[in-house]
Amino acid sequence: MPRSKGGASIATRSDRPSVAVVTEIVAPYRIPVFNELARLLEGRLHVYFIAESERRRGDWPVMRDAIEFEHTVLGGLQASLPYRGDRLPLYLSRPLLPRLRRERFDTVVVGGWNHLECYQALLYARRSGARFVFWSETPLFDKPLDSRPARNAVKRAVVQRADGFVTPGVSGARYLKALGAAPESIHIAPNAVDNDFWSERPADVTDPTVPTVLFVGRLIEIKGIRVAVEAFRRSQLASVGRLVVAGDGPERAAVGRLAPANVSLLGPQQMTALRRLYHSSTALVFPSNWEVWGVVVNEAAAAGLPTIGSDRAAAVRDQIEDEVDGLVFPAGDVDALARIFDRVATDPESLVRLRPGVRALAERASPRACAERIAAALVRTTSGRTS
């Protein structure tokens, strides 16, 4: 394993790594994927984290002890801007370009249209002849590409100069194609979580005595928490079951006023407590009005928990087949979600019948499967850039 000192890892090998991955923060769900990728690349991987964490993810642990790959945390200043009802993080980190030049990587994988590191990596690739692979998670659902000429022109310029692309699902692939990416250059690597951790059922956890639906996420408008609470309030489930809410945010007071007595507002939960909630619930509700992905869907699947999710969340849209491994409803449709809650109340076995599909979903989206798709993209990527 790499040693770390002063926030950055120290190489323990004499040979240089050939692949650099540049990503935002030390997210716990990324570490198992990068561990697997480092093994597939026989250690020839270095991950640059732009920052250790960011303000929206204050409850995410920084799991340095789990890291088995060479890594550096660039560090620096942070800010954010309003974006789709949330906050878009912006970083002013220590320069990446000199580090890439010093290590002379063969391939750089980087994401984040809004990050300066993306353009530093692109400049490095153009000057050194290294391959540039862009990792994009932005989804495109049913509507055409947003009409933002200046921003889209910048994105098209990046796409035109990339050798290949990694994206977690077909919604992300649709977005890249709309920007001009060739379909054969796009490689789908579904986001993954630590299935071993989330699947481990605590010994003292028992099945819920009443139908229990779990919401996990920040309590902000775009996450659809009010939709979930209002649908629960209108449904038969409100008289025979429970809605458990794990998370915090500016919507908490409004949710508390709207919620009936059998809605529990628990606040943010650490990973072990959250795992206990997954294993003691009947279903996860994921009602986001728009979501780049949603790894809680993967966490729930690893725990054997089916998701009731909106069709504007990429983790639902790209992974879940309605009535096979979850239940899907139109985003923002309180009545449609209330009808599903009615079904949970009157026919709880309908969720039990989804469990084989849920297990298959978790297997498809394992860290190993994600890493293999990324590694395959690196191997198959060939230079197709325009001069």
Side-chain angles (χ1 to χ4, degrees):
M1 291 177 60
R3 304 190 305 272
S4 58
K5 180 179 180 181
S9 65
I10 301 173
T12 58
R13 299 176 288 98
S14 60
D15 59 321
R16 63 175 177 81
S18 62
V19 175
V21 171
V22 186
T23 189
E24 271 195 355
I25 62 173
V26 190
Y29 71 95
R30 293 290 191 208
I31 291 174
V33 172
F34 293 151
N35 284 344
E36 293 287 354
L37 184 60
R39 284 190 277 272
L40 290 170
L41 297 176
E42 298 180 342
R44 296 173 66 81
L45 171 71
H46 195 113
V47 177
Y48 290 93
F49 297 105
I50 299 173
E52 187 170 82
S53 62
E54 57 117 339
R55 294 181 181 91
R56 297 179 305 164
R57 312 297 185 185
D59 57 337
W60 281 8
V62 179
M63 301 172 61
R64 286 190 173 275
D65 291 345
I67 294 176
E68 301 173 5
F69 48 86
E70 291 190 8
H71 64 283
T72 300
V73 177
L74 297 176
L77 303 177
Q78 288 191 36
S80 65
L81 292 173
Y83 179 72
R84 292 183 180 271
D86 200 351
R87 304 291 298 185
L88 182 70
L90 302 174
Y91 304 93
L92 183 60
S93 64
R94 297 181 180 90
L96 173 68
L97 184 58
R99 299 171 186 268
L100 300 179
R101 286 174 171 167
R102 182 168 62 249
E103 295 294 336
R104 298 171 58 199
F105 294 99
D106 299 321
T107 302
V108 181
V109 183
V110 61
W113 309 100
N114 57 309
H115 298 325
L116 292 175
E117 289 73 19
C118 170
Y119 304 97
Q120 293 181 57
L122 180 56
L123 179 61
Y124 164 77
R126 296 285 286 179
R127 291 184 174 180
S128 68
R131 294 178 295 172
F132 177 80
V133 177
F134 189 74
W135 191 339
S136 172
E137 295 197 338
T138 306
L140 182 62
F141 299 121
D142 301 320
K143 296 181 179 179
L145 193 66
D146 291 343
S147 178
R148 296 175 294 183
R151 186 179 299 182
N152 288 340
V154 172
K155 293 181 178 182
R156 286 192 173 95
V158 173
V159 166
Q160 185 181 36
R161 288 161 177 79
D163 297 300
F165 306 90
V166 173
T167 190
V170 295
S171 298
R174 188 179 299 115
Y175 186 78
L176 289 167
K177 291 174 188 176
L179 291 170
E184 64 272 14
S185 68
I186 301 171
H187 309 284
I188 293 178
N191 281 328
V193 298
D194 187 346
N195 285 351
D196 291 339
F197 174 83
W198 294 108
S199 64
E200 184 178 341
R201 183 182 176 92
D204 59 341
V205 167
T206 58
D207 291 335
T209 55
V210 298
T212 301
V213 176
L214 174 67
F215 172 94
V216 178
R218 289 174 294 132
L219 305 189
I220 57 178
E221 184 177 359
I222 199 171
K223 296 290 185 179
I225 178 58
R226 290 201 208 186
V227 172
V229 173
E230 177 61 20
F232 178 80
R233 189 182 67 80
R234 295 185 193 180
S235 73
Q236 298 176 55
L237 190 59
S239 60
V240 299
R242 297 177 62 215
L243 174 62
V244 177
V245 178
D248 205 354
E251 290 279 284
R252 181 165 183 166
V255 168
R257 290 190 295 269
L258 178 65
N262 49 350
V263 174
S264 302
L265 302 179
L266 302 184
Q269 303 291 302
Q270 297 300 316
M271 288 176 63
T272 52
L274 184 55
R275 177 175 61 184
R276 176 179 294 274
L277 288 174
Y278 285 135
H279 284 279
S280 58
S281 299
T282 308
L284 176 77
V285 62
F286 193 64
S288 287
N289 298 320
W290 188 88
E291 190 81 35
V292 168
W293 189 255
V295 294
V296 295
V297 174
N298 296 79
E299 293 169 358
L305 195 65
T307 291
I308 303 167
S310 89
D311 63 356
R312 300 285 292 178
V316 175
R317 188 71 167 261
D318 294 347
Q319 293 186 116
I320 292 179
E321 183 179 353
D322 191 33
E323 302 286 352
V324 175
D325 45 25
L327 300 172
V328 182
F329 69 96
D333 191 333
V334 174
D335 290 335
L337 181 55
R339 287 192 294 272
I340 293 177
F341 285 164
D342 285 341
R343 177 176 166 185
V344 172
T346 59
D347 182 18
E349 287 298 310
S350 63
L351 295 177
V352 174
R353 292 192 289 272
L354 298 176
R355 288 179 182 173
V358 172
R359 287 193 292 271
L361 187 159
E363 291 172 2
R364 292 194 304 271
S366 69
R368 179 73 179 189
C370 181
E372 287 175 346
R373 297 289 185 88
I374 296 171
L378 300 179
V379 170
R380 296 202 303 266
T381 297
T382 57
S383 181
R385 292 170 291 181
T386 59
S387 58

